[in-house]
């Protein structure tokens, strides 16, 4: 082979003009490689390593610049992706959330509504139509279903129709704005159900009513879905006084329409209050509409106090309008004088002598005013007789005259129940004056149980014939015995016959007591009612439920009183000092003697009944001194203890000189604006006070009362609202807007603080 062909072909390589120092030290180009510049030729291995090591820092200095650039690019990419994603989510959220009437925002797919105040602070959050499964789409209502009043209308097909409207208001009068919500179910198995959440808004809720599981505020307790009707609060039901009104600490309120078949739950698995419209076979058996509807208003204002005052204001129809001088006199006497409740355990224990002896003991005390003597239903032989039992009251005329001369007023307790053992039962059946049973012969009365009665009928107050009948009976008693007034013991909704049917259809069983009270309040002198869902006309006071003689019951008095005041009942009547008396056979909870015998001092008997524990009685009396009405069953003299008697004298003097004038002063404010005489601290301090305080209260906005409510305690925590306060125990001046820890309260003293002008400290 030709030797020339053995030579490898090489491509012509263009020489680099760059200086050699910029070429790679690891280059293997043929032009550079030769035996003369190998690692073993000119340079030694050590010199080559030294050269290589010197070049490494230069490479290291180059790489961080690359990493920084790459990291910056990656970071910018992530930031752009995040902002694009965030904008996408925000856009769709805004696209799905519509603003109604400036301060209402509604996310239709999630059925989530938010209400804001004028400062754009969220004050209410609610999940609507909770019963609808999934994210069903809503559609605008058909033209024939829309309203011409400015309402927004949406419909979830074949399920619910929704109306939202902003109600007109006068900004010159107040800063309250209300929105109307109206749900209409479109088929029988759908129940409108809205839940108001406080886990995000961090608010507290007040109002509605009380039960054994609910206290002050409402969100600290829990109750499953329960018909919103009056009942026995000790049986996990709502109590004896209810209103369809809820208010939260951020200035939002909910007012539910009376025709809504309302069920309410609180903290039922979630931090929320739920409203449900649902018909049933008792509470809401009388259907107002074919399918259940739920109507309520959401009202907002700048703060909690202004909102509450606006809602309960009676400026357009003040409570004093139409009151006679005798009515005002009765109102004043109930505030300034005690109520003496004579309620023995058994009927045979109530006689002429019982009443006469009791009033003599009152006079012998020497320091308590006479007031009203309240005699329970045992003035009759049987409930429903509506005539005096002459076998036990042969000389009642003489007894009543004696009481009048002593300065007492006499009140009889009456009920709308007619015992089957009453002499009037046959007459009321014959004249068809009683409530009948639904889907049955109207001539057959529906029977129920009430207190000691195993069976009784109920007067049908919607029957025009029953009113003249009962008025004739009561007028005979007034004319013959000169009775001053009556107390209406109306029972609760659960005392009505289960399948009740009146001549005129009732929305719910509680409407009965409203009609009964309003029928007679302008005809008879009524000093109190045992149960209510609407405000009775003054001078009628609304009673608290009966409480047992125990420390646990004592702690319930203040939150119950505050709730009733917030509900719009300014004139409330607490139970007897020391607890109410129990009588056997009562279906409604009344206190038993359990816990009464704690020491040798508690074996004292009063007409066969063990007296309340001495310390409990003293602490109860201290608290009652500042309440709108003082009611007694057990007199302080029954303890044969000088300490009890001396404390009672001092408290009586305190009430007469300090408390009564203030109660009479704020009576005017109650008649004008509907504000309660006894108030929570946040209402007395313009909202600037802890809402969770449930063991203090204010008389108007001038006295803060902090009674001791626990056995054996002689100290407690006290919160004073902003301002300057004078200590009622030692007379010292106290700075407000703070907690006082371990404040000492001896057994015979009560902690109270009187508001003083700010410049008094100088």
């Amino acid at each position: 082979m030709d030797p020339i062909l053995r030579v490898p072909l090489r491509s012509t390589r263009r020489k680099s003009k760059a200086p050699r120092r910029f070429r790679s030290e690891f280059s293997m180009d043929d032009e550079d490689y030769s035996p003369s510049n190998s690692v073993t030729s000119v340079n030694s291995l050590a010199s080559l390593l030294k050269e290589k090591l010197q070049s490494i820092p230069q490479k290291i200095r180059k790489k961080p610049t690359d990493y920084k650039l790459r990291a910056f690019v990656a970071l910018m990419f992530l930031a752009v992706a995040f902002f694009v994603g965030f904008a996408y989510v925000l856009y769709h959220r805004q696209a799905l959330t519509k603003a109604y009437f400036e301060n209402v925002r509604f996310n239709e797919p999630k059925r989530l509504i938010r209400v804001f105040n004028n400062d754009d602070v969220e004050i209410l959050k609610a999940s609507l139509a909770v019963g609808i499964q999934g994210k069903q789409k809503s559609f605008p209502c058909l033209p024939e279903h829309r309203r011409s009043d400015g309402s927004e209308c949406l419909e979830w097909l074949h399920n619910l129709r929704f109306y939202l409207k902003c109600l007109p208001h006068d900004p010159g009068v107040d800063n309250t704005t209300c929105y109307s919500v109206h749900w209409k179910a479109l088929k029988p198995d759908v129940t409108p159900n809205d839940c108001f959440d406080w886990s995000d808004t961090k608010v507290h809720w007040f109002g509605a009513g009380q039960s054994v599981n609910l206290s002050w505020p409402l969100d600290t307790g829990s109750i499953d879905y329960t018909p919103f009707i009056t009942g026995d609060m000790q049986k996990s039901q709502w109590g004896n006084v209810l209103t369809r009104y809820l208010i939260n600490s951020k200035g939002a309120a909910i007012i539910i329409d009376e025709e809504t078949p309302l069920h309410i739950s609180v903290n039922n698995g979630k931090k929320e209050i739920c409203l449900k419209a649902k018909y049933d076979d008792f509470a809401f058996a009388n259907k107002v509409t074919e399918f259940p509807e739920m109507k309520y208003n959401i009202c907002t204002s700048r703060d909690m106090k202004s909102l509450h005052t606006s809602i309960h204001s009676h400026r357009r129809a003040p409570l004093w309008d139409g009151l006679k001088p005798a009515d005002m006199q009765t109102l004043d006497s109930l505030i300034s004088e005690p109520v003496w409740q004579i309620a023995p355990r058994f009927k045979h224990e109530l006689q002429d002598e019982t009443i006469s002896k009791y009033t003599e003991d009152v006079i012998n005390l020497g320091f308590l005013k006479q007031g009203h003597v309240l005699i329970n239903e045992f003035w009759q032989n049987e409930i429903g007789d509506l005539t005096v039992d002459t076998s036990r009251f042969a000389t009642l005329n003489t007894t009543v005259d004696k009481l009048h001369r002593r300065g007492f007023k006499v009140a009889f307790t009456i009920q709308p129940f007619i015992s089957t053992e009453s002499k009037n039962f046959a007459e009321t059946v014959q004249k068809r004056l009683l409530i009948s049973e639904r889907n049955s012969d109207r001539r057959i009365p529906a029977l129920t149980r009430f207190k000691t009665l195993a069976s009784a009928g109920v007067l049908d107050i919607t029957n025009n014939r029953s009113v003249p009948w009962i008025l004739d009976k009561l007028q005979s008693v007034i004319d013959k015995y000169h009775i001053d007034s009556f107390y209406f013991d109306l029972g609760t909704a659960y005392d009505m016959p289960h399948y009740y049917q009146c001549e005129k259809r009732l929305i719910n069983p509680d409407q009965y007591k409203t009609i009964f009270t309003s029928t007679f309040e302008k005809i008879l002198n009524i000093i109190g009612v045992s149960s209510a869902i609407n405000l009775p006309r003054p001078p009628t006071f609304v009673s608290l439920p009966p409480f047992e003689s125990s420390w646990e019951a004592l702690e319930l008095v203040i939150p119950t009183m505050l709730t009733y005041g917030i509900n719009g009942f300014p004139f409330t009547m607490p139970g007897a000092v020391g607890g109410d008396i129990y009588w056997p056979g009562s279906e409604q909870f009344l206190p038993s003697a359990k816990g009464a015998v704690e020491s040798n001092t508690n074996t004292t008997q009063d007409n066969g009944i063990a007296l309340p524990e001495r310390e409990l009685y003293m602490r109860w009396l201290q608290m009652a001194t500042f309440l709108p009405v003082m009611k007694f069953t057990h007199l302080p003299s029954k303890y044969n203890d000088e300490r009890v008697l001396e404390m009672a004298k001092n408290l009586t003097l305190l009430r007469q000189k300090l408390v009564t004038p203030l109660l009479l002063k704020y009576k005017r404010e109650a008649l004008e604006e509907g504000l309660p005489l006894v108030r929570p601290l946040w209402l007395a301090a313009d909202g600037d006070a802890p809402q969770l305080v449930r063991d203090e209260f204010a008389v108007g906005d001038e006295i803060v009362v902090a009674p001791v409510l626990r056995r054996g305690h002689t100290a407690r925590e006290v919160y004073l609202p902003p301002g300057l306060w004078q200590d009622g125990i030692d007379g010292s001046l106290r700075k407000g807007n703070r907690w006082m820890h371990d404040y000492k309260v001896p057994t015979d003293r009560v902690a109270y603080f009187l508001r003083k002008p700010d410049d008094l400290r100088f």
Side-chain angles (χ1 to χ4, degrees):
M1 182 178 292
D2 193 338
I4 299 176
L5 296 178
R6 297 192 194 122
V7 178
L9 294 175
R10 295 179 181 268
S11 61
T12 305
R13 183 178 297 272
R14 187 172 52 185
K15 293 184 179 180
S16 174
K17 297 181 181 179
R20 184 174 181 84
R21 63 177 178 273
F22 293 113
R23 296 188 60 82
S24 172
E25 291 83 353
F26 299 100
S27 174
M28 293 295 290
D29 287 349
D30 294 335
E31 183 179 351
D32 299 324
Y33 177 77
S34 68
S36 62
N37 56 14
S38 67
V39 294
T40 56
S41 58
V42 180
N43 298 321
S44 67
L45 182 62
S47 62
L48 182 62
L49 280 174
K50 182 177 180 181
E51 183 180 355
K52 301 302 181 186
L53 288 173
Q54 288 176 347
S55 69
I56 288 177
Q58 181 179 358
K59 291 183 173 293
I60 293 177
R61 285 194 300 270
K62 290 181 181 180
K63 287 185 179 180
T65 303
D66 296 339
Y67 289 154
K68 287 181 181 180
L69 180 61
R70 291 176 182 177
F72 176 75
V73 172
L75 185 62
M76 289 299 296
F77 175 79
L78 291 175
V80 170
F82 171 77
F83 284 112
V84 169
F86 179 75
Y88 177 83
V89 172
L90 191 62
Y91 169 78
H92 278 268
R93 179 178 294 179
Q94 291 296 326
L96 296 175
T97 301
K98 294 184 179 180
Y100 294 100
F101 316 117
E102 296 183 5
N103 294 331
V104 179
R105 298 166 197 173
F106 183 41
N107 185 305
E108 293 178 22
K110 294 183 178 180
R111 300 185 299 278
L112 187 66
I113 192 169
R114 285 183 164 93
V115 180
F116 297 80
N117 62 14
N118 292 332
D119 297 326
D120 206 32
V121 175
E122 185 179 31
I123 59 177
L124 185 142
K125 173 185 174 183
S127 298
L128 305 184
V130 175
I132 298 180
Q133 299 297 324
K135 296 182 179 179
Q136 295 188 20
K137 182 174 176 57
S138 64
F139 297 91
C141 295
L142 296 175
E144 59 265 29
H145 297 146
R146 296 174 188 168
R147 297 173 177 171
S148 58
D149 58 358
S151 299
E152 300 287 340
C153 183
L154 298 173
E155 184 171 318
W156 285 262
L157 295 182
H158 312 299
N159 284 294
L160 288 164
R161 190 174 297 130
F162 172 70
Y163 296 94
L164 178 65
K165 176 186 175 184
C166 182
L167 301 177
H169 71 286
D170 185 358
V173 176
D174 54 46
N175 294 301
T176 301
T177 303
C178 292
Y179 307 94
S180 170
V181 175
H182 183 187
W183 286 103
K184 298 184 72 171
L186 303 180
K187 58 182 181 180
D189 59 341
V190 173
T191 56
N193 188 9
D194 294 349
C195 292
F196 299 85
D197 180 17
W198 62 73
S199 59
D200 291 340
T201 50
K202 307 296 183 185
V203 299
H204 296 298
W205 285 93
F206 305 88
Q210 291 277 284
S211 82
V212 67
N213 294 325
L214 296 175
S215 188
W216 180 273
L218 279 178
D219 49 272
T220 58
S222 65
I223 190 171
D224 201 353
Y225 281 105
T226 306
F228 195 65
I229 55 176
T230 59
D232 179 359
M233 64 180 287
Q234 298 295 334
K235 295 181 178 178
S236 299
Q237 299 165 350
W238 296 96
N240 65 319
V241 175
L242 302 177
T243 52
R244 299 183 168 208
Y245 167 72
L246 297 158
I247 186 170
N248 74 20
S249 54
K250 285 194 174 180
I254 305 169
I255 307 165
I256 303 102
D257 186 78
E258 291 185 355
E259 293 188 353
T260 298
L262 181 63
H263 294 64
I264 295 183
S265 74
V266 179
N267 276 344
N268 186 20
K270 295 181 180 179
K271 293 182 178 181
E272 58 189 15
I273 293 179
C274 295
L275 312 178
K276 179 189 291 185
K278 180 183 177 183
Y279 290 126
D280 57 20
D281 62 354
F282 170 62
F284 306 107
N286 297 327
K287 297 182 178 181
V288 180
T289 55
E290 181 182 6
F291 304 134
E293 297 186 14
M294 184 162 66
K295 303 176 187 177
Y296 61 87
N297 292 342
I298 298 173
C299 295
T300 67
S301 190
R302 61 176 180 267
D303 57 59
M304 192 177 183
K305 182 177 180 180
S306 60
L307 175 63
H308 177 78
T309 305
S310 171
I311 291 174
H312 289 289
S313 174
H314 296 279
R315 293 173 192 151
R316 295 177 180 173
L319 297 179
W320 51 260
D321 187 23
L323 291 187
K324 301 174 184 177
D327 297 329
M328 296 296 287
Q329 186 178 359
T330 300
L331 191 59
D332 291 350
S333 66
L334 286 168
I335 292 173
S336 58
E337 300 171 355
V339 172
W340 307 101
Q341 179 175 286
I342 302 180
R345 299 172 302 165
F346 304 107
K347 183 168 56 180
H348 69 269
E349 295 176 345
L350 184 59
Q351 302 177 14
D352 280 317
E353 295 78 9
T354 311
I355 301 173
S356 182
K357 178 66 168 59
Y358 189 96
T359 55
E360 285 177 7
D361 291 342
V362 172
I363 293 175
N364 290 335
L365 283 173
F367 55 85
L368 285 168
K369 293 185 177 181
Q370 283 74 11
H372 288 79
V373 175
L374 178 58
I375 301 171
N376 73 354
E377 62 272 13
F378 290 158
W379 61 274
Q380 312 162 89
N381 182 38
E382 293 290 345
I383 294 178
D385 285 350
L386 300 178
T387 56
V388 172
D389 182 3
T390 54
S391 65
R392 291 181 289 116
F393 298 100
T395 59
L396 185 59
N397 268 324
T398 305
T399 303
V400 172
D401 289 342
K402 185 189 301 182
L403 264 58
H404 284 160
R405 289 196 304 271
R406 291 173 174 174
F408 292 98
K409 305 171 188 67
V410 181
F412 276 178
T413 299
I414 60 173
Q415 294 96 354
F417 301 90
I418 309 294
S419 170
T420 54
E421 301 296 323
S422 168
K423 61 184 181 182
N424 288 329
F425 183 75
E427 180 184 356
T428 54
V429 172
Q430 183 183 7
K431 294 182 178 180
R432 300 186 186 180
L433 304 180
L434 302 179
I435 292 175
S436 61
E437 191 166 295
R438 194 161 55 248
N439 303 323
S440 181
D441 193 328
R442 295 297 297 269
R443 296 170 295 180
I444 302 175
L447 300 182
T448 186
R449 299 186 63 180
F450 176 71
K451 289 188 175 179
T452 58
L453 299 180
S455 63
V458 186
L459 281 171
D460 186 353
I461 197 62
T462 68
N463 185 336
N464 293 331
R465 300 185 302 275
S466 64
V467 176
W469 182 86
I470 189 173
L471 277 176
D472 181 64
K473 300 288 185 182
L474 295 178
Q475 192 61 49
S476 298
V477 173
I478 295 172
D479 294 340
K480 187 173 182 179
Y481 297 99
H482 308 290
I483 302 303
D484 299 285
S485 56
F486 293 96
Y487 176 87
F488 283 1
D489 186 1
L490 303 174
T492 69
Y494 290 96
D495 290 315
M496 291 282 281
H498 188 80
Y499 297 102
Y500 67 92
Q501 179 174 333
C502 298
E503 189 168 291
K504 296 178 182 177
R505 190 169 64 171
L506 303 180
I507 299 174
N508 58 60
D510 276 326
Q511 191 182 8
Y512 176 89
K513 61 174 63 66
T514 301
I515 298 174
F516 194 95
T517 303
S518 61
T519 299
F520 298 108
E521 62 187 4
K522 291 185 179 180
I523 306 172
L524 301 173
N525 188 14
I526 309 169
I527 63 169
V529 292
S530 66
S531 182
I533 60 169
N534 293 103
L535 178 63
R537 178 177 176 270
T540 303
F541 277 65
V542 175
S543 292
L544 268 65
F547 288 116
E548 66 175 336
S549 183
S550 70
W551 290 95
E552 293 77 14
L554 177 60
E555 292 186 37
L556 291 174
V557 175
I558 293 177
T560 305
M561 178 79 68
L562 297 180
T563 297
Y564 289 6
I566 289 301
N567 281 350
F569 297 95
F571 303 109
T572 51
M573 182 184 296
V577 173
D580 296 285
I581 292 178
Y582 163 83
W583 57 81
S586 172
E587 284 299 308
Q588 186 178 8
F589 175 84
L590 286 174
S592 64
K594 70 175 183 177
V597 182
E598 299 291 343
S599 66
N600 294 333
T601 59
N602 294 321
T603 58
T604 306
Q605 300 286 311
D606 182 16
N607 292 328
I609 304 172
L611 289 171
E613 180 187 343
R614 179 184 286 105
E615 183 188 355
L616 174 66
Y617 184 88
M618 295 173 72
R619 292 305 194 188
W620 208 306
L621 180 58
Q622 293 164 5
M623 175 191 68
T625 299
F626 297 88
L627 299 183
V629 176
M630 290 193 73
K631 185 189 288 186
F632 289 92
T633 293
H634 302 293
L635 303 181
S637 56
K638 295 296 180 180
Y639 286 89
N640 297 317
D641 188 323
E642 284 300 324
R643 285 191 312 157
V644 177
L645 208 57
E646 184 64 25
M647 185 197 72
K649 289 179 182 179
N650 294 334
L651 291 175
T652 301
L653 187 63
L654 173 65
R655 182 174 177 89
Q656 292 173 354
K657 289 190 173 183
L658 177 64
V659 182
T660 299
L662 280 178
L663 290 171
L664 293 175
K665 171 186 174 182
Y666 286 102
K667 173 201 69 176
R668 297 183 178 184
E669 194 171 293
L671 292 173
E672 185 76 30
E673 301 180 12
L675 290 174
L677 302 179
V678 170
R679 305 171 184 178
L681 297 188
W682 55 259
L683 188 57
D686 294 328
D688 192 11
Q691 283 96 15
L692 293 176
V693 178
R694 51 168 288 171
D695 57 356
E696 297 182 42
F697 61 91
V699 179
D701 58 8
E702 295 188 46
I703 300 180
V704 168
V705 186
V708 173
L709 306 176
R710 297 184 179 180
R711 178 194 285 118
H713 284 217
T714 55
R716 59 157 294 161
E717 304 287 301
V718 176
Y719 177 80
L720 281 181
L724 183 66
W725 302 88
Q726 185 173 29
D727 195 313
I729 293 181
D730 61 15
S732 61
L733 295 180
R734 301 278 187 174
K735 178 181 177 295
N737 196 24
R738 66 186 179 107
W739 285 94
M740 293 189 296
H741 305 288
D742 198 31
Y743 179 83
K744 298 294 187 288
V745 188
T747 306
D748 59 345
R749 303 299 296 272
V750 58
Y752 71 95
F753 304 86
L754 186 64
R755 186 187 291 275
K756 292 294 181 180
D758 287 341
D759 59 355
L760 183 66
R761 61 184 182 273
F762 299 113

